[in-house]
Amino acid sequence: MAEMWISMGPQHPMTHGLWTLKVKVDGETVVDTEPDLGYIHRGVEKICEARDFTQITTYCDRLCYASANTWSHAWIYAAEDLLEVEVPERAEYIRMVAVELQRIASHLMWLGAYCPDVGNLTGMVWCLREREMMMDLLQELGGSRMHYNFPRVGGVKRDLPIGFAMRCRAKLKLFLDRIQEYEAILDESTIFLVRTQGVGYAKAEEMINHGVTGPNTRAAGHDYDVRWAHPYSIYDELDWSPAVERPSIKGSDCYDRYRVRVEEMRQSALMVLEGLDKMPGGSETHHESGDPAILGKAPARAAEGKTGFHHFEDSRGESMFYIAGGGEARGKHPYRVSIRSPMFITIPYAAKCMIGYKIADIPAIMGSFDPCIGETDR
Amino acid sequence: MAKELSADQIQSAAEALVGSVAEKFTGSATAEVRHHTGGRRKNAYVYIDVEAAAWRDLATWLAKSHKVDHCSMITGIHWPEKADATWQVVAHLMRTGVRNPGVVSGRVHEIKVDIDALVGVDVPLEFEISMTLAETREPSVPSVADIWVGADWNEKETWDLVGIEFEGHVGMRRVLLPHDSPTGYHPLQKQHKLRYHDFNEMYDDAQGFGRKPEDVGRVK
Amino acid sequence: MDEGTNYTAFSSRGLLDIVGDLNDKALEASRMKDFISVLGGRFLNWAQRKSLFPLHLGIKCCALEMAAAGASRFDAERFGVVFRSSPRQCDVLLVNGPISKKFADPIVRLWEQMPEPKWCIAMGECAISGGPYFQSYNILEGVDTVIPVDVYIPGCPPRPEALIDGFSKLREKIIRIGAVPSGESEARGAPIIVADD
Amino acid sequence: MTDDILNVRGWVESASQFLAEATVGQSRHWGFVDSVAFFLTELIMAIVIFGAIMNTLLVLLWMERKLLGRFMDRRGAVTSLRSLWVGENGVTAGEWWNQLPFGVGKPIGGINRALNRIAGNDHELEAVRRVQNRSYHGVWWLFPGFFQNLADGMKFLTKEHMVPEKSDRFVYEVAPFLIIATTVMCFTFIPLGPHFFSNNSEMSILFLMAVFSVAPLGVFFAGWSSNNKYTLLGGIRSAAQLTAYEIPLLVTVLSVVVISGSFNMIEVIEFQANSGVWNIFLLPLGGLLFLVVMVAEVERIPFDMPEAEAELVEGWWTEYGGMRWGLMFAAEYLRTYAACLLFAHFFLGGWEAPFEDTIPFISMVPHVLWVFLKAWFMFIFFVWFRAALHRVRTDQILEFGWCYLLPLSLVNLAMAAALRLWVYDGVAGEWPILVPILITSIGLALFVLLAIDEDPEALAAQTRPYSVQTTDAAGPGQHRE
């Protein structure tokens, strides 16, 4: 068959979200690919120049909608760097609980979307069933199911509700057994292994040079993690180590990326359980919102010419906010907000990864990089 | 207690690097060690102010001899009121130290980094490199897409939204805005205002798609 | 050979027209036509109401609520709502995110590819009025600037129960008005807003 | 022929004979009485068989939805009969029956009100009626969700028929007829009972297999003609996959014919009834092969490449909508139903009750029931595969078909011939009871041993059971180095 360009268009079951992957195909083998992004570009950086610091948190929730908390916390850490704000110890622990629960929910959404990519609908419904548990917990913290607007500059909006710790421990223990169910239907299914092993090779050095970070590089055998390399929050007081996978000689394949994320789900669950035990002031006490134990004082205006930036370990890679303060002329609004989306850099690399494989491998490889188009198009 | 990079490891690595930048790029680049000012830990990072012309060989020097292997983000900012520094490009780089795992007796073993033993060039470090350009119609900065491929799509996005050219960039095209948007239209420049930024033009027909009939003339 | 005629030896279309007219007049005369059209109409209306296939189109956060509505806790399949991937096999275009200028043409093409008795549900603030991005330079203010919309589901994102209520509001509209082609907008009646009553 | 109280064919023959004599026999063409009677019998039996299959097909669809719902921990469709007369959330279509001519509407209105009162959801309190909105499921506990598939099917009638502009119009419109006609034609040769069949030709299995394998041609025409790259790929994949699985299918069916001694379907079943042992116990490998090959023939999940949801949007039927797609959707399930019925006839002894001669009154039960029960039981496996397994890639499917299934089916054929010649014909024309027991136990032991392929050392060391360290097993990847 002559080579032909297939446009896997904006509306396509393989694309989790709206983007087009133009694939040049020779028979069944992929010869060349070209991603085309920008279908839900909504100019968040331009809008943020007309909003103050608390209003921008809601926009950052809606950047990557599968992991809203990690993005709003990334923004708040950058804003605290700009406004030179101290955060009380208890607020750091509550933030860690919120971020790690959101990381589990985000990885569950990824596994739920990855199973139909490789052909099995049961995996999706099971993972979404567990994600509902995590969303219930986050709904107690933030108030709504998906976009929580939970962190504030200097702390958190609300303390843990009464009884939250007990419910959280029960659900996480149940979740730790449910992961065995996923591994039963995925790891022990020969067809899943045949579809994902040896597919979508990517070496560590090549990835980091291409700007790909997070679970995708840890799957390639090096335990680089922003949480220990550029330390923030209270990860040093918890007993955890980055989830690393032992790849093959030719680099990490889809199966490694799947293993890394399942391992990270387990670790996040254990971190939340440990965080609840070590919470200063105990996880049963409840402070009123605005109490200095959970919300420090924070100025509303940035000094002239002051800038602030912060790297954050998002569930898909290393996300980052760079803010240029506007001084008196801009009032409460920042002068420029720049958002580093890990997937905006990973998708072109994943598209290059597909060359040489079959058409049926495109969803397997693309899905294993966990694309989230909301943050890509900003 | 999980191990993590201690503050003085980062501090010493940053000072070492700032020292070598000072004696290598005396004229064109000034480097200093700055600290994050928020949160629990005030980690150090390297801030380099470089002229646009010297950006490319600073980048190759950092990549070759200081193992800066990851370009995190390139941002373009438009300061219309500053005549001498109208266009600013801020590049954030990182030294991650990610290496391919070695093969031992036919089996690949992953790398578990011994954090306390990291010293000197192996310590992961953050960089913020800023370049400013005076008032011009076509601001342009040399491209580093061939040194770090990660910078490729960052530069495309920066040109697409802010309008700063990158000489030597292969295949510059619009990635986020519609392909048929007018040439020279870069929305993040300050002369473009948000829609309805002042209240009274709430319902005139800014986007040219025809308003719903019953909304014409209504003041919000 | 003008477009559309079959390649068979004799033009079967002519035969079909003759037989069709004959049949029609006979049924008309014996008043059987009303009998069939009323009973058949009610049954086919029930069939159309009970199996509304939305398009597998996920734009932004409301897409995850749509997936949650399809999953096991808020099972939308209880009401015959099964997500199909090709617009040819769908009845409902569920728009669940902001429509950017780049996606305006593709969404109109998707709408035109759907066979005729079709409805459009605007789910979430972004689809209703551009939502939090109404000031953006790249976002249309609501999907009704390009497609006629039948049911609006407010919320950012609306809960899966609201999405399922949106489908039941659409079923109410179908039983009341019937499967009117989307061309005649006045015969379609006013759009419904969920949780409005 | 085992006698059966449901002697449908006998009744129809006597009825049509009587009818023919009463009409043609009295006229001057009395010579044609027998041929008219024969024509009437065949016509009525064909319609009866088609009706039985189409109605029990709804059972199949309902089983699929409910079983998938159970595997996926959700309820599945629950649309029930009551939703016919109960409106939506209290909104009804008004007094529509008054528009019916000749006052026929009055009784319908009366029935509607009575049903609403008995099994409706009208409660005197408005709020309770609105909340208890049981328009979708409720008191009518009879198979909730059974009518959902009926609603899906009938909905396609009202859909607009769109033909893609640049598609090959004639082939686009004819391809679905090719698929549907050949699929329905299969059922003429599948007997549902000893006296409940439409056609009992001498070589019925041969003709059945020929008709069964014409449909993939229609799939390829449909894929090619709708002028869409996805459907073209779907059509080509379907053609490649089905040629790869046609030969193992025919060889497995041949092994059943060899062991049963005849090409006629009814004689195959009679052989299993008389010899006292079902073929599944004699040819367990054949049964397994037939199941796997049939899953590939009807393109269900593990071998779902032609309509791969993930990358080909909807595969070869992306451009079809409305009634053509509805019928093709039904044709896919009809082919699965034919596969289940064939498995029941070839390996599970057709209409022979499990302990036919030992339990006294079991032969009083109409044999059609056993055929349907066995077919539905086999359908559970099809749904189980769909819920548990992932989609295999096209080149892996073809490799599996040519390199594994074909040799295995030849081995199975050799086993069947050996069993027939040495054991059945050699001894007294009756299976010695030891042979099936031995074969089944060895088969089960082999299956369990082969199924446990986890490599504990590899799982513990978190490396790959399939060593990918040196060879690049699945990923061609040559283009990149």
Side-chain angles (χ1 to χ4, degrees):
Chain A
M1 276 221 325
E3 289 180 358
M4 63 178 180
W5 278 97
I6 298 183
S7 148
M8 298 208 165
Q11 181 261 334
H12 192 283
M14 180 270 293
T15 59
H16 307 295
L18 274 188
W19 62 287
T20 307
L21 178 70
K22 293 189 176 55
V23 180
K24 181 189 241 182
V25 172
D26 168 15
E28 279 270 339
T29 315
V30 174
V31 175
D32 192 6
T33 57
E34 195 231 325
D36 179 9
L37 300 166
Y39 282 94
I40 33 176
H41 173 62
R42 45 217 187 281
V44 168
E45 288 166 349
K46 183 78 179 177
I47 294 176
C48 285
E49 285 162 13
R51 296 286 190 275
D52 69 15
F53 287 98
T54 311
Q55 288 171 331
I56 294 178
T57 327
T58 55
Y59 283 96
C60 296
D61 269 344
R62 286 158 177 78
L63 273 180
C64 184
Y65 34 85
S67 62
N69 253 333
T70 44
W71 275 90
S72 43
H73 280 85
W75 155 255
I76 286 298
Y77 278 118
E80 277 158 7
D81 185 23
L82 179 75
L83 302 170
E84 294 156 7
V85 175
E86 291 305 318
V87 182
E89 185 79 4
R90 184 179 171 82
E92 286 287 1
Y93 268 85
I94 297 173
R95 280 185 181 173
M96 187 281 298
V97 166
V99 166
E100 292 311 322
L101 283 178
Q102 185 66 72
R103 197 188 305 278
I104 299 175
S106 164
H107 283 327
L108 279 173
M109 189 65 222
W110 164 75
L111 192 55
Y114 192 56
C115 282
D117 277 0
V118 186
N120 176 348
L121 267 177
T122 323
M124 169 168 190
V125 185
W126 285 2
C127 292
L128 290 182
R129 174 189 60 190
E130 262 64 64
R131 187 164 174 270
E132 293 291 333
M133 275 201 305
M134 295 303 148
M135 283 157 96
D136 290 347
L137 290 174
L138 289 168
Q139 181 175 324
E140 289 188 43
L141 283 182
S144 84
R145 268 170 64 87
M146 274 182 64
H147 300 311
Y148 314 105
N149 192 3
F150 179 61
R152 287 290 178 276
V153 180
V156 278
K157 169 167 71 172
R158 254 200 307 277
D159 196 351
L160 300 184
I162 298 157
F164 172 83
M166 176 267 297
R167 283 188 291 275
C168 190
R169 288 194 183 94
K171 285 186 171 155
L172 285 179
K173 287 197 176 54
L174 174 62
F175 171 68
L176 285 173
D177 313 335
R178 285 280 167 80
I179 294 187
Q180 262 78 34
E181 265 182 41
Y182 305 148
E183 281 168 351
I185 195 170
L186 293 173
D187 275 1
E188 283 149 28
S189 136
T190 318
I191 298 179
F192 179 77
L193 298 183
V194 161
R195 275 299 298 277
T196 51
Q197 284 176 352
V199 169
Y201 282 122
K203 283 193 169 2
E205 271 162 23
E206 186 190 26
M207 275 214 249
I208 205 70
N209 187 5
H210 277 77
V212 180
T213 53
N216 303 328
T217 24
R218 285 195 289 278
H222 190 280
D223 74 342
Y224 173 77
D225 189 321
V226 178
R227 287 175 284 189
W228 68 261
H230 311 287
Y232 59 93
S233 177
I234 38 109
Y235 288 106
D236 58 339
E237 294 166 18
L238 298 174
D239 174 16
W240 72 285
S241 72
V244 191
E245 187 48 42
R246 175 180 290 141
S248 65
I249 289 179
K250 300 169 73 72
S252 72
D253 51 16
C254 298
Y255 183 68
D256 295 331
R257 293 186 272 274
Y258 151 77
R259 285 270 3 123
V260 161
R261 289 199 175 88
V262 168
E263 204 45 47
E264 272 193 8
M265 279 201 256
R266 278 206 184 90
Q267 270 188 4
S268 295
L270 298 176
M271 276 156 101
V272 171
L273 290 175
E274 196 184 343
L276 286 176
D277 303 341
K278 290 186 177 159
M279 181 83 70
S283 60
E284 299 313 324
T285 60
H286 176 75
H287 300 271
E288 285 318 310
S289 54
D291 185 301
I294 55 170
L295 187 62
K297 280 284 150 286
R301 281 176 170 67
E304 171 67 36
K306 179 84 172 63
T307 66
F309 74 98
H310 193 281
H311 291 276
F312 189 88
E313 179 63 32
D314 179 57
S315 50
R316 279 167 185 71
E318 168 242 324
S319 66
M320 177 180 134
F321 278 84
Y322 171 75
I323 320 164
E328 285 324 306
R330 299 288 296 180
K332 287 188 183 168
H333 308 319
Y335 189 81
R336 166 81 156 103
V337 172
S338 176
I339 303 166
R340 197 248 185 204
S341 144
M343 289 326 288
F344 181 69
I345 316 283
T346 309
I347 284 180
Y349 174 74
K352 275 202 279 268
C353 246
M354 288 176 207
I355 296 173
Y357 291 97
K358 299 285 184 208
I359 292 181
D361 291 332
I362 293 177
I365 298 169
M366 202 64 224
S368 70
F369 280 97
D370 190 1
C372 167
I373 304 305
E375 66 180 73
T376 312
D377 290 350
R378 280 181 299 278
Chain B
M1 290 308 122
K3 298 190 303 302
E4 65 173 24
L5 220 50
S6 61
D8 50 25
Q9 268 177 312
I10 304 175
Q11 181 72 25
S12 56
E15 273 142 11
L17 195 113
V18 162
S20 55
V21 165
E23 35 97 352
K24 182 90 174 42
F25 292 84
T26 48
S28 56
T30 59
E32 60 183 18
V33 176
R34 288 193 182 169
H35 292 272
H36 282 288
T37 50
R40 289 177 72 233
R41 260 176 244 77
K42 309 290 184 286
N43 296 332
Y45 64 92
V46 174
Y47 174 82
I48 303 175
D49 197 338
V50 69
E51 283 134 14
W55 159 231
R56 203 173 151 68
D57 39 7
L58 172 70
T60 42
W61 177 70
L62 281 176
K64 291 291 178 299
S65 57
H66 282 277
K67 292 205 284 187
V68 175
D69 44 19
H70 173 63
C71 166
S72 183
M73 181 165 76
I74 293 179
T75 322
I77 307 178
H78 178 217
W79 304 86
E81 65 279 4
K82 295 184 191 163
D84 58 345
T86 313
W87 304 95
Q88 181 188 9
V89 174
V90 183
H92 287 90
L93 310 175
M94 278 168 84
R95 176 201 290 162
T96 57
V98 168
R99 300 182 310 284
N100 286 341
V103 178
V104 174
S105 66
R107 188 72 62 149
V108 181
H109 292 283
E110 77 273 19
I111 300 168
K112 281 279 183 190
V113 174
D114 174 5
I115 297 174
D116 304 336
L118 288 175
V119 71
V121 182
D122 301 334
V123 175
L125 206 57
E126 290 167 347
F127 294 80
E128 178 173 324
I129 295 163
S130 157
M131 305 156 244
T132 53
L133 296 165
E135 167 64 36
T136 64
R137 295 304 302 163
E138 311 93 11
S140 83
V141 168
S143 154
V144 288
D146 45 2
I147 303 168
W148 301 291
V149 183
D152 179 13
W153 274 63
N154 275 322
E155 287 171 356
K156 283 187 168 70
E157 182 219 350
T158 309
W159 172 75
D160 189 1
L161 294 183
V162 185
I164 298 172
E165 305 283 338
F166 287 88
E167 310 125 2
H169 183 97
V170 175
M172 178 66 86
R173 59 184 169 86
R174 285 202 184 273
V175 279
L176 287 180
L177 288 179
H179 296 304
D180 52 7
S181 46
T183 59
Y185 170 72
H186 302 290
L188 282 185
Q189 288 169 358
K190 291 301 179 207
Q191 74 267 18
H192 295 290
K193 287 280 178 286
L194 273 179
R195 202 166 44 222
Y196 311 130
H197 63 283
D198 59 350
F199 239 44
N200 46 30
E201 45 120 357
M202 189 66 180
Y203 269 95
D204 65 357
D205 186 1
Q207 55 166 330
F209 275 90
R211 300 299 301 139
K212 296 190 272 298
E214 60 270 11
D215 281 342
V216 171
R218 218 167 64 159
V219 178
K220 183 152 187 237
Chain C
M1 182 104 60
D2 57 352
E3 206 275 327
T5 57
N6 288 336
Y7 309 106
T8 49
F10 68 98
S11 159
S12 66
R13 185 167 303 286
L15 182 67
L16 280 179
D17 293 347
I18 298 162
V19 168
D21 294 348
L22 219 64
N23 245 335
D24 208 37
K25 287 197 191 57
L27 286 176
E28 196 80 36
S30 66
R31 296 282 307 276
M32 278 295 290
K33 183 162 184 172
D34 315 343
F35 192 78
I36 293 171
S37 64
V38 169
L39 272 182
R42 278 299 107 217
F43 179 67
L44 292 179
N45 188 298
W46 169 80
Q48 177 66 59
R49 290 198 322 261
K50 286 302 162 188
S51 85
L52 291 167
F53 288 176
L55 182 62
H56 181 109
L57 163 74
I59 300 180
K60 220 166 84 77
C61 357
C62 295
L64 294 194
E65 289 299 72
M66 180 178 85
S72 50
R73 186 175 187 181
F74 312 95
D75 188 3
E77 212 216 327
R78 287 178 290 165
F79 311 100
V81 171
V82 173
F83 293 98
R84 299 297 305 182
S85 299
S86 151
R88 293 265 192 257
Q89 295 142 17
C90 296
D91 316 320
V92 176
L93 178 66
L94 186 63
V95 183
N96 42 32
I99 304 295
S100 70
K101 286 179 179 155
K102 197 170 186 179
F103 191 57
D105 304 341
I107 194 120
V108 169
R109 195 176 325 132
L110 279 178
W111 173 253
E112 270 142 19
Q113 277 176 349
M114 292 165 63
E116 196 28 66
K118 57 189 175 186
W119 295 270
C120 177
I121 295 184
M123 170 185 181
E125 300 300 336
C126 298
I128 296 173
S129 66
Y133 312 105
F134 75 104
Q135 287 178 315
S136 159
Y137 49 86
N138 197 24
I139 290 292
L140 301 185
E141 286 192 343
V143 82
D144 47 19
T145 48
V146 282
I147 297 177
V149 172
D150 293 296
V151 178
Y152 293 100
I153 306 178
C156 182
R159 294 182 65 93
E161 298 97 327
L163 174 63
I164 292 172
D165 192 21
F167 274 107
S168 73
K169 284 285 187 302
L170 182 62
R171 283 205 297 275
E172 269 172 42
K173 181 169 188 173
I174 294 174
I175 194 173
R176 210 161 14 92
I177 296 169
V180 174
S182 66
E184 305 107 6
S185 55
E186 69 290 342
R188 292 274 270 217
I192 304 169
I193 299 172
V194 169
D196 197 8
D197 42 11
Chain D
M1 201 70 97
T2 55
D3 55 354
D4 178 5
I5 57 168
L6 194 68
N7 182 357
V8 176
R9 194 161 185 97
W11 302 332
V12 166
E13 262 159 18
S14 53
S16 54
Q17 187 68 26
F18 165 76
L19 204 65
E21 272 145 18
T23 52
V24 175
Q26 311 310 331
S27 71
R28 56 188 172 79
H29 300 299
W30 56 271
F32 297 105
V33 166
D34 293 342
S35 50
V36 165
F38 171 76
F39 171 73
L40 272 180
T41 325
E42 291 311 322
L43 185 66
I44 295 170
M45 279 316 292
I47 293 168
V48 164
I49 290 279
F50 179 74
I53 292 291
M54 289 309 277
N55 288 329
T56 43
L57 182 64
L58 282 179
V59 173
L60 223 63
L61 289 163
W62 180 61
M63 268 174 66
E64 160 123 36
R65 280 190 171 216
K66 282 300 182 185
L67 265 172
L68 269 185
R70 283 301 165 271
F71 285 132
M72 295 181 183
D73 199 4
R74 57 186 172 87
R75 281 179 68 93
V78 288
T79 313
S80 74
L81 199 59
R82 95 201 330 273
S83 58
L84 274 172
W85 58 81
V86 163
E88 300 285 346
N89 310 346
V91 174
T92 62
E95 307 274 334
W96 53 270
W97 44 82
N98 297 338
Q99 297 146 19
L100 288 176
F102 316 123
V104 171
K106 298 292 176 296
I108 294 181
I111 296 168
N112 199 328
R113 266 188 296 277
L115 282 174
N116 247 320
R117 208 170 37 257
I118 303 160
N121 62 349
D122 58 351
H123 191 277
E124 59 276 7
L125 296 177
E126 161 61 11
V128 172
R129 176 142 50 100
R130 180 126 166 61
V131 167
Q132 279 182 349
N133 155 33
R134 297 203 298 266
S135 64
Y136 50 91
H137 82 291
V139 82
W140 204 276
W141 40 265
L142 193 64
F143 314 122
F146 191 81
F147 299 96
Q148 176 63 49
N149 304 310
L150 189 67
D152 291 347
M154 290 305 116
K155 177 198 77 170
F156 298 128
L157 285 178
T158 56
K159 298 306 279 185
E160 171 196 8
H161 170 52
M162 303 170 86
V163 179
E165 197 221 346
K166 281 199 273 302
S167 74
D168 183 341
R169 188 180 171 79
F170 179 71
V171 179
Y172 178 84
E173 297 203 359
V174 162
F177 300 145
L178 202 61
I179 302 170
I180 297 153
T182 47
T183 310
V184 171
M185 216 191 297
C186 291
F187 289 96
T188 53
F189 301 96
I190 299 181
L192 297 182
H195 303 293
F196 192 9
F197 52 85
S198 154
N199 182 316
N200 179 18
S201 67
E202 188 42 41
M203 313 275 275
S204 60
I205 292 181
L206 205 60
F207 195 92
L208 174 73
M209 280 302 141
V211 163
F212 190 79
S213 55
V214 168
L217 209 60
V219 165
F220 185 65
F221 283 173
W224 176 79
S225 69
S226 36
N227 184 28
N228 174 338
K229 289 183 179 123
Y230 296 136
T231 55
L232 180 64
L233 281 174
I236 292 172
R237 280 184 180 175
S238 136
Q241 172 178 326
L242 293 168
T243 44
Y245 283 80
E246 209 59 47
I247 303 164
L249 170 68
L250 296 179
V251 171
T252 314
V253 168
L254 190 61
S255 70
V256 169
V257 164
V258 157
I259 205 161
S260 310
S262 121
F263 262 104
N264 183 332
M265 184 82 78
I266 294 178
E267 276 160 27
V268 164
I269 298 169
E270 290 309 322
F271 168 77
Q272 291 177 52
N274 303 338
S275 72
V277 175
W278 289 353
N279 284 346
I280 190 79
F281 302 115
L282 297 167
L283 292 171
L285 177 62
L288 191 66
L289 276 176
F290 189 81
L291 191 61
V292 169
V293 165
M294 265 309 176
V295 168
E297 278 294 312
V298 296
E299 285 155 17
R300 281 183 69 89
I301 274 294
F303 304 94
D304 192 12
M305 262 313 151
E307 59 201 51
E309 272 269 311
E311 64 272 8
L312 288 188
V313 185
E314 279 292 323
W316 55 272
W317 55 20
T318 313
E319 290 302 334
Y320 281 89
M323 200 54 218
R324 277 180 170 68
W325 180 65
L327 278 179
M328 281 200 283
F329 199 72
E332 189 206 324
Y333 278 103
L334 276 173
R335 282 168 67 81
T336 318
Y337 201 12
C340 297
L341 280 166
L342 286 180
F343 191 95
H345 287 323
F346 289 151
F347 294 99
L348 298 180
W351 48 75
E352 194 214 356
F355 298 96
E356 180 85 14
D357 35 25
T358 50
I359 302 174
F361 290 105
I362 202 157
S363 61
M364 300 302 291
V365 174
H367 290 272
V368 178
L369 192 62
W370 295 115
V371 172
F372 281 146
L373 284 179
K374 287 178 189 167
W376 296 342
F377 171 71
M378 279 323 296
F379 185 67
I380 294 176
F381 288 94
F382 281 77
V383 179
W384 185 13
F385 293 155
R386 173 169 183 191
L389 295 180
H390 297 260
R391 190 174 297 127
V392 189
R393 216 179 39 205
T394 322
D395 56 331
Q396 289 157 355
I397 290 177
L398 298 181
E399 180 196 348
F400 181 63
W402 290 111
C403 303
Y404 291 90
L405 286 191
L406 192 53
L408 273 178
S409 55
L410 293 179
V411 162
N412 180 41
L413 181 62
M415 244 176 69
L419 274 175
R420 174 72 191 200
L421 292 181
W422 291 335
V423 177
Y424 189 77
D425 293 348
V427 186
E430 179 72 50
W431 288 112
I433 195 60
L434 198 60
V435 166
I437 295 170
L438 216 61
I439 293 176
T440 326
S441 47
I442 294 168
L444 277 179
L446 272 176
F447 180 76
V448 168
L449 279 177
L450 291 177
I452 306 171
D453 61 358
E454 277 82 15
D455 175 355
E457 181 264 333
L459 277 183
Q462 279 292 342
T463 56
R464 304 294 177 293
Y466 296 86
S467 83
V468 189
Q469 316 298 19
T470 49
T471 60
D472 48 1
Q478 292 84 2
H479 287 259
R480 293 181 60 229
E481 267 80 27

